[in-house]
Amino acid sequence: MLFFNKNKRRKAEVALSKGGVDSISYWAIVKKQFQKNTLAKWALRVLMLLVFIAVFGDFLANDKPIYCKINQQSHFPVFKSYAVDMGLAKWPAELVNVDWKDLEYEQKILPLIPYSPTDLDLRNAHFKSPFDKQNVKGMRYWHWLGTDELGRDVGSGLIHGTRVALLVGILAMGVAVLIGLFFGVLAGFFGDNGFKVSRIRLLLNLIGLPLSWLLAFSARKYQIMETGNFGIEIIKSIFFFSLILFGINLIARLVERFSFFKKRVSIPLDLGIMRFIEMLNSIPGLLILIVVLAILEQTSLVYLMVIIGFISWTGIARFIRAELLRIRSLEYVEAAQALGYPRLRIIFKHAIPNALPPVLITIAFGIAAAILAEATLSFLGIGIPLEKVTWGSLLTEARKNASAWWLALFPGIAIFVTVTVFNLIGDGLTEALDPKMREQ
Amino acid sequence: MFRYLLKRILIFIPTLLVISLIAFGISKLTPGDPVTSCGNLGGQDKTYLNDYFAAELAYNQRAQSLGLDKPSFYFSFTSRAYPDTLYKVLNHPKRAAIAKLISRYGNWPQIDHYFKAIDALEIASYQIPQSEVKNAKIEIRKALSQLKINYNDKRVNYEMKALQKVFEKDSLVQKYVGQESKALFLAYDQMRNQSSTSKLFQPKFHWYGFDNQYHIWFTKFITGDFGYSCQDGRPVKERIKRAIGWTLIMNIFALILAFSIAIPLGVFSAQKRGSRFDKWTGLILFVLYSLPGFWVATLLVIFFTTPEYGMHWFPSIGLGDTSTDIPFWSRFWDRASHLFLPIICLSYGSLAFIARQMRGGVLNVIQQDYIRTARAKGQSEEIVLWKHAFRNSLFPIITLIALVFPATISGSVVIEYIFNIPGMGRETIAAIYAKDWPIVFTILLLTTGLTMIGTLIADILYAWADPRVNFKK
């Protein structure tokens, strides 16, 4: 009997996954619709170019040659520098701390722009325009987009800034998606009446959360902060934290046998989370970003990404909530519930995959906003390591000298293009995913 | 309607409370010593250098005047290892060091003993006659002042060794402070050896009551007392009062400009859907929407406010100097010429957004049945559009105020910085560069409050304008 049951269930499952919404053809439709939109199609191509520049930035703009031959010996300095950075190799003695531009080469292949973004070309310092007379060895070394006050090449800065911008945009949104998904699913799938726990479990968890925080994190503050192995200790703490919570829920399960404690209370998750989102939305985003970053004593791109992620998840959570409110009353979810699947499985296997497509739109717009936020912050010089060359930091240089139009123009164009690309993709997705548009 | 309003205002209060908690929490995380980083103690430090007790007294007075001698919150939930009265240690680095030591050893009595031993040695060292061993005295005090604020083993051992060296070198010093120094070494060993880390795992809840830093700060904030600026010691209120005016003027003008251009633009492009006009405005609006405000502002500043490119059409950035005895209108025009570019920068983003929304709204309404009815009735296209479609598509636009207002407030931070307008935004950036936290947190809370009021007004307008909106729920 049991076996039969299982078999039946598996069959139903296969049918469910096949018949859900023809998943392959759905994406095919979306893709087709997206391709129809010429602007969006081109935006996607430009995005690919930007990603290419971001990934291969070191080969496009670098003070080291890609390939060179010195004293009959072949070198691949750009590759080598990767290995050295990872600690896998060491520079040969004659190449330690050399000025790559002054070396005598027998053969060489230079990158497109033979300058690294932090390279100070002192002969061309103090704002050399692309059309000025530049003091360079040859046209190959021309600063095509000019230099800034310290003689850094603007073109090289733009190429390396691409990596920073895309990294911040995409990773910040990654953080936002994780948080937004969590809250959105809680609010949307469970609603105000869907999440029911027994009295005792609620009570024990309310007590247990601060308690396990105290035992796992506060009490181990010394081990975490002062012993020098932050990573391992924090993982240990998280493990203890979950262990205690698990134990508490185990106890709750035992006590649940008494009928008084067994009575279930529903937690209005939707109401609570929506209020919370409303609250967060009334804090001006850029302002809180600036304040939090100013407080941190160290500046790092990681902090920037995480904080942008933490303030921009509300849109995603709202979208997912709205989608799940719709989905949870659809037949296939009801069918899955009728088959007796555990709730987590329904959420992860059936509800979330179908709620995700509209979220892509928010992600695209969100990346644009995050890139804009990063550029604004580096423009203001808050929260970004000073030595990092970014589009915003290049744009700030323009404020020092009004005649340096190239410093105002090129970084701005880079920011504008990237932001527009993501906005166009977002627009394209909106149209492609809209069923009303599809029928036409 | 009234009930709805009441409900909204009731939500308003907890929101403000939570945000004040967040702001207070962040303000407690600001780096550095709040006593010395804020206030003019730095200048007086030198005169106190020779007189340790006077310096300490001044420090404590300063801390008290900042209200730092109170517990920070209504209650604390920590482990039993921490004493309830830790907040009474006014010296910030010293308190941090004590807390770190407790988190390591968990034995407050021994730690207390150790710090008392340091104090005793310090007092005893004053009895060493100046004439005989001057260097020793200075070295002892140097080491002790480091011991007070350091918790890391290496550093403490280093200072302990330095102390020992002084004692070994000079037998005279031994005579005066021998006992105390022995007590200190003993106390240090005791603290290290008699640790009771198990106490760290025993939870303890302590209620401090209403006389705490948060309560005082927040009640003062509500009554309009925002504290004092760290930069010049003037009340924050005074500084913000001047700044908020400029920000509001700029933002309100920017919003009026945005709405008054965007609404007709949206309606016309919806009316001529698919025409060349619609396509071009659509493209231009999209480009405007994606143009980063700070870039446009930088470009405008560079090209139009400097004589560099021959387009010096606007006065240079800032508000300029206008004395009050010039006639009102010329002053007005002068100000307007200074504010024109920043207002443009603030408004074009919202303009593009609103126009796109308006176009969508009108298109949506045009498909409704009552429009078809109106057309069937033989109404002219103009009347259909302006009397029926336009009015009904205007309602959702009202709610956009709630979306656009916080965005312009945020946006004006950078725009004011670039155009050097003395508003809240520039004040914020300047305060952050100067680490003037009282101003920063006041502005954070005030702008949040403003945003919430904006949202509330938009909601009320919506309810008032559209009778279909049901607020009984």
Side-chain angles (χ1 to χ4, degrees), chain A residues 17 50 52 63 96 141 153 172 179 226 337 341 367 369 391:
Chain A
S17 65
L50 286 172
F52 175 81
D63 56 341
V96 177
Y141 290 94
D153 187 81
I179 305 172
E226 302 294 330
Q337 273 166 345
Y341 285 168
I367 292 177
W391 294 341

Side-chain angles (χ1 to χ4, degrees), chain A residues 222 226 295 380 402-403 408 423, chain B residues 26 100 104 290 295 309 433:
Chain A
Y222 173 75
E226 302 294 330
I295 281 169
L380 293 172
S403 59
N423 281 342
Chain B
I26 300 175
K100 289 276 185 190
R104 181 170 179 187
S290 300
W295 180 41
Y309 301 93
Y433 287 146

Side-chain angles (χ1 to χ4, degrees), chain B residues 134-441:
Chain B
K134 198 181 172 194
N135 268 342
K137 196 170 164 182
I138 290 174
E139 263 168 53
I140 289 175
R141 259 198 276 154
K142 222 196 260 166
L144 287 181
S145 65
Q146 286 304 320
L147 278 181
K148 271 186 206 167
I149 56 172
N150 277 296
Y151 50 90
N152 155 301
D153 273 349
K154 239 187 198 163
R155 188 65 201 263
V156 171
N157 277 334
Y158 173 81
E159 301 294 348
M160 288 280 182
K161 266 194 197 126
L163 272 180
Q164 234 153 11
K165 225 182 254 169
V166 176
F167 297 141
E168 275 164 16
K169 218 164 51 185
D170 228 314
S171 56
L172 248 177
V173 181
Q174 287 272 13
K175 204 175 86 190
Y176 288 103
V177 295
Q179 230 174 359
E180 282 82 4
S181 63
K182 259 181 219 145
L184 173 65
F185 294 136
L186 191 70
Y188 182 60
D189 283 340
Q190 271 180 354
M191 178 183 77
R192 298 195 45 153
N193 296 329
Q194 302 174 2
S195 67
S196 57
T197 35
S198 62
K199 256 193 179 171
L200 283 170
F201 293 94
Q202 298 168 21
K204 186 184 66 177
F205 181 88
H206 187 80
W207 176 257
Y208 284 111
F210 289 97
D211 191 21
N212 61 55
Q213 289 177 33
Y214 169 75
H215 188 81
I216 293 168
W217 172 73
F218 191 59
T219 42
K220 271 189 181 171
F221 186 90
I222 289 177
T223 50
D225 179 0
F226 303 145
Y228 296 89
S229 156
C230 285
Q231 293 168 77
D232 52 7
R234 275 169 44 209
V236 174
K237 193 178 173 180
E238 222 176 83
R239 294 182 67 130
I240 285 185
K241 214 191 234 165
R242 270 185 315 163
I244 204 167
W246 288 114
T247 302
L248 279 182
I249 288 176
M250 274 173 44
N251 277 300
I252 287 169
F253 271 107
L255 279 189
I256 291 173
L257 191 71
F259 273 95
S260 55
I261 295 177
I263 288 174
L265 206 63
V267 175
F268 280 125
S269 56
Q271 187 190 14
K272 301 193 172 98
R273 191 190 179 188
S275 69
R276 195 180 288 168
F277 173 77
D278 181 33
K279 272 183 189 155
W280 277 103
T281 47
L283 189 70
I284 291 169
L285 288 178
F286 187 82
V287 170
L288 279 184
Y289 182 68
S290 300
L291 271 176
F294 63 98
W295 180 41
V296 174
T298 310
L299 285 183
L300 290 179
V301 165
I302 286 181
F303 286 108
F304 295 142
T305 69
T306 62
E308 203 74 46
Y309 301 93
M311 293 184 284
H312 192 186
W313 298 333
F314 292 94
S316 45
I317 54 173
L319 279 176
D321 290 319
T322 41
S323 53
T324 37
D325 36 270
I326 316 175
F328 174 78
W329 281 109
S330 63
R331 217 168 75 214
F332 175 82
W333 285 115
D334 185 62
R335 286 273 194 258
S337 67
H338 276 99
L339 286 176
F340 182 74
L341 289 179
I343 287 177
I344 294 287
C345 285
L346 273 180
S347 61
Y348 77 82
S350 348
L351 187 152
F353 180 65
I354 297 163
R356 275 159 63 101
Q357 294 286 326
M358 188 70 205
R359 177 177 175 272
V362 173
L363 282 181
N364 204 12
V365 168
I366 280 179
Q367 289 166 4
Q368 303 286 327
D369 288 338
Y370 59 84
I371 298 291
R372 202 172 300 144
T373 316
R375 282 198 182 128
K377 213 162 68 169
Q379 290 281 26
S380 75
E381 198 58 23
E382 287 296 296
I383 289 181
V384 169
L385 184 72
W386 289 106
K387 205 173 167 201
H388 300 279
F390 173 70
R391 276 174 130 189
N392 284 303
S393 54
L394 208 55
F395 297 136
I397 294 300
I398 294 172
T399 50
L400 283 187
I401 297 175
L403 270 174
V404 166
F405 190 64
T408 45
I409 291 261
S410 266
S412 66
V413 172
V414 192
I415 301 295
E416 281 171 21
Y417 167 76
I418 294 171
F419 285 99
N420 208 15
I421 306 288
M424 293 247 277
R426 202 192 73 170
E427 195 75 51
T428 318
I429 304 275
I432 279 174
Y433 287 146
K435 303 219 173 296
D436 189 352
W437 301 117
I439 291 196
V440 174
F441 290 108

Side-chain angles (χ1 to χ4, degrees), chain B residues 12-126:
Chain B
F12 189 90
I13 294 165
T15 310
L16 199 67
L17 272 176
V18 169
I19 287 157
S20 78
L21 276 176
I22 294 174
F24 183 74
I26 300 175
S27 79
K28 284 280 135 193
L29 294 176
T30 50
D33 185 346
V35 180
T36 49
S37 69
C38 190
N40 27 26
L41 203 69
Q44 296 167 345
D45 242 350
K46 269 186 194 141
T47 54
Y48 286 129
L49 204 64
N50 295 318
D51 195 345
Y52 164 76
F53 292 104
E56 176 115 330
L57 197 69
Y59 183 98
N60 288 352
Q61 273 173 357
R62 177 89 191 127
Q64 268 168 11
S65 73
L66 288 170
L68 295 170
D69 57 336
K70 304 220 158 66
S72 38
F73 201 57
Y74 298 101
F75 61 85
S76 72
F77 179 70
T78 50
S79 63
R80 270 188 59 206
Y82 293 87
D84 301 332
T85 48
L86 194 58
Y87 68 88
K88 283 188 178 158
V89 179
L90 289 181
N91 193 311
H92 186 79
K94 186 177 168 186
R95 189 169 60 230
I98 294 178
K100 289 276 185 190
L101 284 173
I102 296 177
S103 77
R104 181 170 179 187
Y105 299 115
N107 49 356
W108 164 241
Q110 279 83 349
I111 293 167
D112 187 33
H113 191 62
Y114 164 66
F115 276 90
K116 275 186 180 138
I118 294 178
D119 283 342
L121 181 57
E122 180 136 38
I123 292 167
S125 77
Y126 275 85

Side-chain angles (χ1 to χ4, degrees), chain A residues 110-282:
Chain A
L110 286 175
L112 190 65
I113 295 173
Y115 296 98
S116 79
T118 48
D119 219 2
L120 307 182
D121 186 355
L122 298 177
R123 278 170 296 191
N124 293 304
H126 299 296
F127 304 106
K128 277 276 169 14
S129 143
F131 306 125
D132 270 353
K133 220 173 150 246
Q134 292 181 3
N135 186 5
V136 287
K137 276 192 270 183
M139 279 314 266
R140 191 69 185 80
Y141 290 94
W142 195 262
H143 296 280
W144 292 103
L145 300 184
T147 65
D148 69 354
E149 193 181 10
L150 303 170
R152 294 179 294 189
D153 187 81
V154 175
S156 177
L158 283 189
I159 285 178
H160 285 261
T162 315
R163 184 180 295 175
V164 177
L166 288 188
L167 213 60
V168 168
I170 291 167
L171 290 186
M173 266 302 113
V175 174
V177 167
L178 284 184
I179 305 172
L181 209 61
F182 178 73
F183 283 109
V185 167
L186 278 186
F189 191 81
F190 292 109
D192 276 341
N193 306 313
F195 196 77
K196 288 198 171 91
V197 286
S198 64
R199 276 180 182 170
I200 184 67
R201 198 178 282 260
L202 180 67
L203 185 75
L204 280 181
N205 273 306
L206 279 182
I207 300 171
L209 267 176
L211 195 69
S212 46
W213 174 265
L214 183 86
L215 294 184
F217 292 99
S218 293
R220 304 186 73 251
K221 217 187 269 165
Y222 173 75
Q223 281 84 345
I224 296 171
M225 300 304 289
E226 302 294 330
T227 48
N229 25 5
F230 178 79
I232 298 167
E233 294 297 337
I234 199 95
I235 289 169
K236 268 192 203 166
S237 276
I238 292 171
F239 174 71
F240 289 146
F241 183 74
S242 4
L243 198 71
I244 298 167
L245 275 187
F246 180 73
I248 282 169
N249 281 297
L250 219 63
I251 296 171
R253 192 155 203 183
L254 289 177
V255 186
E256 262 172 14
R257 294 182 184 180
F258 300 102
S259 63
F260 173 75
F261 295 121
K262 205 178 170 184
K263 189 142 189 242
R264 289 166 96 78
V265 220
S266 64
I267 301 170
L269 281 178
D270 191 25
L271 187 80
I273 288 170
M274 288 317 280
R275 269 298 108 69
F276 182 53
I277 287 177
E278 220 169 87
M279 220 176 260
L280 283 186
N281 280 348
S282 52

